mmCIF file of all heavy atoms in Angstrom:
data_model
loop_
_atom_site.group_PDB
_atom_site.id
_atom_site.type_symbol
_atom_site.label_atom_id
_atom_site.label_comp_id
_atom_site.label_asym_id
_atom_site.label_seq_id
_atom_site.Cartn_x
_atom_site.Cartn_y
_atom_site.Cartn_z
ATOM 1 N N THR A 86 6.989 13.520 4.929
ATOM 2 C CA THR A 86 5.985 13.331 3.872
ATOM 3 C C THR A 86 4.611 13.141 4.498
ATOM 4 O O THR A 86 4.365 12.159 5.197
ATOM 5 C CB THR A 86 6.329 12.114 2.996
ATOM 6 O OG1 THR A 86 7.678 12.218 2.564
ATOM 7 C CG2 THR A 86 5.417 12.057 1.782
ATOM 8 N N THR A 87 3.718 14.081 4.239
ATOM 9 C CA THR A 87 2.375 14.071 4.816
ATOM 10 C C THR A 87 1.332 14.023 3.712
ATOM 11 O O THR A 87 1.450 14.733 2.712
ATOM 12 C CB THR A 87 2.146 15.327 5.682
ATOM 13 O OG1 THR A 87 3.096 15.340 6.748
ATOM 14 C CG2 THR A 87 0.739 15.341 6.258
ATOM 15 N N VAL A 88 0.327 13.171 3.923
ATOM 16 C CA VAL A 88 -0.817 13.130 3.012
ATOM 17 C C VAL A 88 -2.053 13.529 3.813
ATOM 18 O O VAL A 88 -2.404 12.876 4.794
ATOM 19 C CB VAL A 88 -1.005 11.749 2.371
ATOM 20 C CG1 VAL A 88 -2.114 11.801 1.319
ATOM 21 C CG2 VAL A 88 0.292 11.255 1.747
ATOM 22 N N VAL A 89 -2.679 14.618 3.402
ATOM 23 C CA VAL A 89 -3.843 15.173 4.079
ATOM 24 C C VAL A 89 -5.084 14.845 3.248
ATOM 25 O O VAL A 89 -5.092 15.077 2.027
ATOM 26 C CB VAL A 89 -3.711 16.698 4.247
ATOM 27 C CG1 VAL A 89 -4.927 17.270 4.959
ATOM 28 C CG2 VAL A 89 -2.434 17.041 5.006
ATOM 29 N N ALA A 90 -6.112 14.315 3.891
ATOM 30 C CA ALA A 90 -7.334 13.999 3.163
ATOM 31 C C ALA A 90 -7.931 15.257 2.543
ATOM 32 O O ALA A 90 -8.185 16.245 3.240
ATOM 33 C CB ALA A 90 -8.348 13.344 4.093
ATOM 34 N N ALA A 91 -8.153 15.237 1.247
ATOM 35 C CA ALA A 91 -8.814 16.360 0.595
ATOM 36 C C ALA A 91 -10.266 16.456 1.048
ATOM 37 O O ALA A 91 -10.801 17.552 1.227
ATOM 38 C CB ALA A 91 -8.734 16.197 -0.921
ATOM 39 N N LEU A 92 -10.886 15.286 1.229
ATOM 40 C CA LEU A 92 -12.245 15.208 1.764
ATOM 41 C C LEU A 92 -12.201 14.386 3.047
ATOM 42 O O LEU A 92 -11.748 13.238 3.024
ATOM 43 C CB LEU A 92 -13.193 14.541 0.754
ATOM 44 C CG LEU A 92 -13.399 15.261 -0.578
ATOM 45 C CD1 LEU A 92 -14.216 14.381 -1.520
ATOM 46 C CD2 LEU A 92 -14.087 16.604 -0.356
ATOM 47 N N ASN A 93 -12.663 14.952 4.138
ATOM 48 C CA ASN A 93 -12.589 14.223 5.413
ATOM 49 C C ASN A 93 -13.611 13.103 5.502
ATOM 50 O O ASN A 93 -13.606 12.321 6.440
ATOM 51 C CB ASN A 93 -12.738 15.183 6.600
ATOM 52 C CG ASN A 93 -14.148 15.748 6.725
ATOM 53 O OD1 ASN A 93 -14.944 15.704 5.790
ATOM 54 N ND2 ASN A 93 -14.446 16.291 7.895
ATOM 55 N N THR A 94 -14.487 13.001 4.505
ATOM 56 C CA THR A 94 -15.465 11.920 4.449
ATOM 57 C C THR A 94 -14.944 10.702 3.691
ATOM 58 O O THR A 94 -15.666 9.732 3.492
ATOM 59 C CB THR A 94 -16.759 12.405 3.765
ATOM 60 O OG1 THR A 94 -16.427 12.956 2.489
ATOM 61 C CG2 THR A 94 -17.443 13.468 4.611
ATOM 62 N N ARG A 95 -13.675 10.770 3.254
ATOM 63 C CA ARG A 95 -13.048 9.641 2.567
ATOM 64 C C ARG A 95 -11.724 9.327 3.240
ATOM 65 O O ARG A 95 -11.114 10.182 3.887
ATOM 66 C CB ARG A 95 -12.819 9.966 1.092
ATOM 67 C CG ARG A 95 -14.101 10.132 0.277
ATOM 68 C CD ARG A 95 -13.797 10.538 -1.144
ATOM 69 N NE ARG A 95 -12.868 9.603 -1.780
ATOM 70 C CZ ARG A 95 -12.217 9.872 -2.919
ATOM 71 N NH1 ARG A 95 -12.381 11.051 -3.518
ATOM 72 N NH2 ARG A 95 -11.393 8.984 -3.438
ATOM 73 N N ASP A 96 -11.278 8.074 3.102
ATOM 74 C CA ASP A 96 -10.004 7.658 3.679
ATOM 75 C C ASP A 96 -8.846 8.388 3.000
ATOM 76 O O ASP A 96 -8.931 8.751 1.822
ATOM 77 C CB ASP A 96 -9.821 6.150 3.492
ATOM 78 C CG ASP A 96 -11.021 5.358 3.976
ATOM 79 O OD1 ASP A 96 -11.329 5.429 5.175
ATOM 80 O OD2 ASP A 96 -11.653 4.674 3.141
ATOM 81 N N VAL A 97 -7.763 8.572 3.758
ATOM 82 C CA VAL A 97 -6.558 9.106 3.123
ATOM 83 C C VAL A 97 -6.020 8.074 2.127
ATOM 84 O O VAL A 97 -5.852 8.362 0.937
ATOM 85 C CB VAL A 97 -5.485 9.469 4.166
ATOM 86 C CG1 VAL A 97 -4.239 10.021 3.465
ATOM 87 C CG2 VAL A 97 -6.006 10.497 5.161
#
Side-chain angles (χ1 to χ4, degrees):
T86 309
T87 299
V88 186
V89 180
L92 297 173
N93 70 343
T94 54
R95 293 176 55 195
D96 309 298
V97 180

